[in-house]
Amino acid sequence: MKKYLIAALALAALMTSCNSNTWDVTSDLSVDKVDPTQGLTPLAQDPGMDYAPLYWSVYGALRQQEKDGSFPNIFTEKDWDEAIDFVATKLKPYGYDMLVTDGFAAMGGDNGYMTRYSRSQKDESSPEIELSTIIAKLKAKGLKLGVYDNPFWLHYSNPNAIIPGTDGITVGSLRYNPEKDKDVLHPTKNDQFGWVLTDHPGAEQHFEAFFKHYADMGVHFIRMDFLSWYEDGMNYSDQIDRGYGRERYVRGMQWINKYARKYGVYVSLVMPHLKNNAIIEKYAGNMIRINADALEGSWYRFSENNRGSLRGGWPNSENAFDGFINWSKISGRGKVRLDGDFIRLGSFASDDEKRSAISLPLMAGGPIAVTDYPNAHDLTFFQNEELLALQKDGFVGQPYKRDLWGIDGEIWYGQLKDGSWVVGLFNRDQSAATRSVTLSQIGIHGSWKARNLWTHEDEGTVSGTISAEIPAHGCKILKLSKL
């Protein structure tokens, strides 16, 4: 459980659009009686927003503190200095330009919005660090700050602070009131984050001020977590939170779309149920988490954990490989990107596994989110410029088939802007195996010059079929260029 999140949210929710239920859904249409996307444009279609980021997160350090039971979890100013220097020297030259907070540490604010993060020393009584201090440290090294926060949450020491843009509505009034709010799904459960119902006055103004707050500081990347707990309170099959209902959740997503676009903020959605084929999240997020948490990493978390099992709610998939395959149906250029969570490369057992853990997110058009401090050898996997060129191109690939068990889900392909193609052959099996693909079946015709993006070697001319022996848990990534 992530500590110290003082949250409250408020959003007014009445569905104002209506149509004949003709949009593409596969679950019960009663989930959305009207199309919640009417009048919205996907965030990815805004200028400069069609990409997946390369960044470093404090997650690894704070997750380890939580695992060790060293409460309180603190990322000190000295820790920030070390992390910033590491990223500036080891990762920034390869395109990683951002450090991102996470939710294990203190998130302080006085008037409804976070202005401080963690503490200056490993001491719970030490001062919290001003976000402006962290931003200044990053800016001095040509880096940016991304934050872990959520417009559904409030951060305040003063409940009587006035919500910007309202006529005297206070942030404290946005909280759940059991005397008035009678339609929550599970009123006997506790609010894990101090959620606020979305039909309280001032909610939309709070959302807009949230985005303006960060944009004014120069923060344009926000990871928004625990969304399933707001929608219905569910996590796996467990009832965790009260749950405030689909209608309130959807309205919040609509506001996220509206104000993220207005203030130029990139939105990463974490722990969403993705109901109705992610009908609203495809518009409200630039990026969507599609699998359970990485935790300590390993091939098990990446590929094997409950393989082949899909749920109707969070997490739909318990491993990243299944998540990328399943949700490839909604991703693409100008569409939402898929997030397979942090890459804890030191947890993988072989270089073959490490190559796959880097290759699949890039083949799927997703981010590379580094955490921890990889050693010199492991850093080379994050520094593969030929493979990182996919991210710079905005590349989004797809599997040959959305097959979680068969090898067709292990064949990935896509086209770069210059007309060349990238083909990825993966092997999730425990032993070496042959992977083959007939190029015409994936829309590639003629003869092409092949380049191996991991060995950095040309492999001659290919046409017709590509076939290779792939080691256990390994991959082969080929770029096919015009002759």
Side-chain angles (χ1 to χ4, degrees):
M1 177 65 191
K2 295 189 175 182
K3 314 290 195 293
Y4 285 103
L5 293 175
I6 303 172
L9 32 154
L11 325 164
L14 276 176
M15 301 302 293
T16 57
S17 58
C18 88
N19 69 6
S20 59
N21 289 338
T22 57
W23 66 98
D24 179 26
V25 295
T26 55
S27 57
D28 185 353
L29 281 171
S30 66
V31 171
D32 290 306
K33 294 182 176 63
V34 296
D35 183 351
T37 69
Q38 289 188 3
L40 304 183
T41 301
L43 295 182
Q45 294 183 13
D46 284 359
M49 288 293 178
D50 188 16
Y51 71 96
L54 306 176
Y55 69 95
W56 187 94
S57 170
V58 304
Y59 174 88
L62 294 178
R63 167 67 183 167
Q64 188 62 47
Q65 289 183 34
E66 182 179 64
K67 187 180 178 184
D68 293 342
S70 60
F71 182 83
N73 304 315
I74 292 174
F75 202 77
T76 67
E77 282 199 61
K78 182 179 178 181
D79 292 332
W80 277 109
D81 291 339
E82 178 184 1
I84 292 169
D85 183 65
F86 177 83
V87 174
T89 58
K90 307 295 186 181
L91 294 172
K92 181 187 171 188
Y94 300 90
Y96 301 81
D97 63 352
M98 181 170 61
L99 283 78
V100 182
T101 66
D102 209 87
F104 296 91
M107 300 170 66
D110 299 319
N111 299 319
Y113 306 98
M114 182 171 68
T115 58
R116 302 180 296 276
Y117 180 76
S118 193
R119 297 188 179 275
S120 56
Q121 301 177 36
K122 184 65 175 173
D123 178 353
E124 194 173 11
S125 63
S126 68
E128 294 178 327
I129 308 172
E130 296 291 332
L131 286 179
S132 58
T133 298
I134 301 171
I135 291 168
K137 289 175 180 288
L138 288 161
K139 188 175 180 180
K141 294 292 183 74
L143 296 166
K144 301 178 293 188
L145 179 68
V147 299
Y148 175 97
D149 201 358
N150 194 326
F152 287 98
W153 303 338
L154 291 172
H155 308 274
Y156 61 83
S157 58
N158 174 21
N160 295 316
I162 304 301
I163 300 167
T166 69
D167 186 14
I169 300 175
T170 65
V171 294
S173 72
L174 299 178
R175 298 184 66 90
Y176 170 67
N177 183 342
E179 299 300 318
K180 297 180 180 179
D181 302 321
K182 301 294 187 180
D183 59 346
V184 301
L185 299 178
H186 302 278
T188 62
K189 289 290 184 180
N190 292 325
D191 270 345
Q192 300 297 322
F193 292 91
W195 305 105
V196 177
L197 273 77
T198 63
D199 49 1
H200 288 194
E204 183 170 359
Q205 292 92 332
H206 161 69
F207 264 58
E208 178 170 8
F210 171 91
F211 286 99
K212 185 177 186 300
H213 165 73
Y214 281 118
D216 286 349
M217 286 196 296
V219 173
H220 293 275
F221 176 91
I222 303 178
R223 294 186 73 239
M224 303 176 185
D225 203 355
F226 291 100
L227 296 172
S228 63
W229 290 12
Y230 181 77
E231 184 174 0
D232 63 7
M234 295 296 293
N235 186 51
Y236 291 88
S237 59
D238 298 324
Q239 188 67 51
I240 303 294
D241 214 314
R242 287 193 176 99
Y244 293 115
R246 177 70 173 176
E247 188 177 359
R248 296 185 180 97
Y249 172 78
V250 164
R251 177 52 64 87
M253 291 290 108
Q254 292 169 332
W255 288 341
I256 288 171
N257 173 276
K258 179 178 180 180
Y259 295 114
R261 294 186 67 203
K262 180 175 180 178
Y263 293 100
V265 174
Y266 188 104
V267 174
S268 171
L269 302 178
V270 183
M271 282 183 61
H273 284 309
L274 303 178
K275 294 180 179 180
N276 282 5
N277 277 329
I279 190 171
I280 188 63
E281 291 88 356
K282 289 186 294 186
Y283 285 75
N286 298 87
M287 189 163 72
I288 298 175
R289 266 281 299 285
I290 41 77
N291 60 287
D293 291 7
L295 300 180
E296 278 59 67
S298 78
W299 183 262
Y300 175 77
R301 303 293 304 181
F302 179 72
S303 177
E304 299 306 310
N305 187 17
N306 209 23
R307 179 177 172 179
S309 176
L310 297 177
R311 294 188 180 91
W314 174 263
N316 309 119
S317 304
E318 288 196 53
N319 68 78
F321 216 122
D322 281 1
F324 281 123
I325 293 171
N326 179 54
W327 288 105
S328 62
K329 60 186 176 181
I330 67 169
S331 65
R333 293 188 188 268
K335 298 180 181 180
V336 73
R337 301 304 181 103
L338 308 180
D339 177 11
D341 207 16
F342 307 112
I343 301 176
R344 309 197 71 173
L345 208 63
S347 70
F348 289 88
S350 69
D351 285 357
D352 290 315
E353 291 185 354
K354 293 172 184 180
R355 280 185 279 268
S356 292
I358 298 293
S359 299
L360 183 61
L362 291 171
M363 286 297 302
I368 298 295
V370 185
T371 192
D372 308 317
Y373 297 96
N375 61 33
H377 175 67
D378 285 353
L379 268 173
T380 62
F381 296 91
F382 289 112
Q383 296 169 338
N384 182 344
E385 292 183 282
E386 290 197 68
L387 204 61
L388 291 174
L390 275 62
Q391 185 268 349
K392 293 178 176 62
D393 177 85
F395 177 91
V396 185
Q398 59 184 304
Y400 176 53
K401 292 183 180 178
R402 286 177 47 240
D403 185 346
L404 304 183
W405 280 105
I407 62 175
D408 286 341
E410 300 172 23
I411 310 298
W412 282 72
Y413 69 99
Q415 193 166 27
L416 294 163
K417 290 177 180 176
D418 66 3
S420 58
W421 292 81
V422 181
V423 176
L425 309 177
F426 292 86
N427 179 12
R428 301 175 75 177
D429 293 347
Q430 301 297 323
S431 58
T434 299
R435 295 288 180 263
S436 301
V437 59
T438 300
L439 294 179
S440 62
Q441 292 180 333
I442 56 176
I444 303 175
H445 303 278
S447 297
W448 299 78
K449 180 174 64 176
R451 172 82 171 173
N452 188 315
L453 298 187
W454 278 110
T455 65
H456 311 297
E457 296 174 340
D458 294 328
E459 297 195 354
T461 301
V462 299
S463 62
T465 298
I466 291 177
S467 183
E469 182 85 356
I470 309 299
H473 300 173
C475 66
K476 182 173 185 175
I477 312 297
L478 291 175
K479 179 180 177 181
L480 306 183
S481 301
K482 297 175 182 178
L483 292 172

